[in-house]
Amino acid sequence: DGGITQSPKYLFRKEGQNVTLSCEQNLNHDAMYWYRQDPGQGLRLIYYSQIVNDFQKGDIAEGYSVSREKKESFPLTVTSAQKNPTAFYLCASSFQELSGNTIYFGEGSWLTVV
Amino acid sequence: KQEVTQIPAALSVPEGENLVLNCSFTDSAIYNLQWFRQDPGKGLTSLLLIQSSQREQTSGRLNASLDKSSGRSTLYIAASQPGDSATYLCAVLKRSNYKLTFGKGTLLTVNP
């Protein structure tokens, strides 16, 4: 089945560690996105990529990094510089022309700092 | 800056009731508006997408309307069922930067 796969579902990070969240899609979408969701809050855009080897900062990019080496993959690294990383992270993808197409989401990854 | 507000934040209704969820946005220069459903601890599922030139969209028991000039959208759910219990989020796609801005959502509980 076509879709977006995020892994791991649950991840624990120690202080000072970098962790990487995986996102893979087989929908042949050009654009991919990472959002952060805090309890009772709307989604906030971290990074997005409209094409391979190119990505743009979203509204809350500080403390995060991404890469887009393949069309299907858009991993997110939460670095030690992110001071409050505990949140629910959602990966999404769409055809490049978002104005006429809907956006699809993965099942999310929970990150907790211990 | 685009801001999206959803009212109410939470809603509890008995099964079978018709209900309306509200979404308002501050900047009317949008491409489209989408309504999503989110189950606890899960990702978002798109329910309806309304282009800026459209007034409404329907899917089964769901009907979404858009009044771009007043910056408002409503999601109407007919004959609600316990399985409709979830958080419903709306999001607008801004023309100037192609970015989606989400509301905080309405937590709907349908009681059997």
Side-chain angles (χ1 to χ4, degrees):
Chain A
D1 286 352
I4 302 172
T5 301
Q6 289 188 237
S7 63
K9 179 67 176 179
Y10 300 96
L11 186 60
F12 299 90
R13 192 193 93 168
K14 294 181 180 179
E15 295 285 347
Q17 271 187 341
N18 293 349
V19 293
T20 297
L21 307 180
S22 170
C23 179
E24 304 277 333
Q25 55 96 2
N26 60 3
L27 299 168
N28 199 31
H29 285 164
D30 305 296
M32 297 187 74
Y33 314 80
W34 275 106
Y35 288 90
R36 170 179 171 146
Q37 187 177 32
D38 295 283
Q41 301 296 315
L43 278 68
R44 291 183 290 169
L45 181 64
I46 304 172
Y47 268 99
Y48 64 103
S49 167
Q50 293 182 305
I51 195 169
V52 175
N53 293 322
D54 186 49
F55 48 83
Q56 308 294 329
K57 291 182 178 180
D59 299 318
I60 56 166
E62 185 175 350
Y64 300 97
S65 66
V66 293
S67 63
R68 186 86 186 276
E69 297 176 1
K70 298 187 300 181
K71 185 177 184 178
E72 301 80 15
S73 179
F74 192 41
L76 173 74
T77 297
V78 184
T79 75
S80 57
Q82 171 50 240
K83 297 306 178 187
N84 186 23
T86 296
F88 188 49
Y89 291 87
L90 286 159
C91 178
S93 70
S94 71
F95 288 111
Q96 194 171 43
E97 187 57 43
L98 191 57
S99 65
N101 296 283
T102 193
I103 185 171
Y104 294 85
F105 284 84
E107 288 291 282
S109 293
W110 289 94
L111 174 61
T112 303
V113 174
V114 296
Chain B
K1 179 185 175 184
Q2 178 73 275
E3 294 183 1
V4 179
T5 303
Q6 292 189 243
I7 294 173
L11 181 64
S12 180
V13 300
E15 181 177 4
E17 195 163 291
N18 302 327
L19 58 99
V20 173
L21 307 180
N22 297 289
C23 172
S24 62
F25 47 95
T26 55
D27 185 347
S28 61
I30 63 170
Y31 274 119
N32 61 44
L33 182 144
Q34 293 187 63
W35 282 94
F36 294 88
R37 169 185 172 137
Q38 185 177 30
D39 292 299
K42 302 287 188 180
L44 279 67
T45 301
S46 179
L47 298 172
L48 291 164
L49 184 153
I50 311 176
Q51 300 291 357
S52 62
S53 59
Q54 297 175 320
R55 297 284 293 180
E56 65 179 315
Q57 282 285 342
T58 298
S59 176
R61 293 182 293 108
L62 306 180
N63 176 278
S65 68
L66 174 64
D67 184 342
K68 198 176 69 167
S69 60
S70 66
R72 289 188 289 190
S73 175
T74 61
L75 178 66
Y76 175 82
I77 302 177
S80 58
Q81 303 170 358
D84 295 330
S85 298
T87 297
Y88 291 81
L89 296 99
C90 69
V92 294
L93 182 66
K94 194 172 179 179
R95 282 190 175 272
S96 60
N97 57 17
Y98 266 89
K99 283 186 181 176
L100 273 173
T101 302
F102 287 83
K104 294 181 180 181
T106 294
L107 175 60
L108 173 65
T109 303
V110 181
N111 301 300

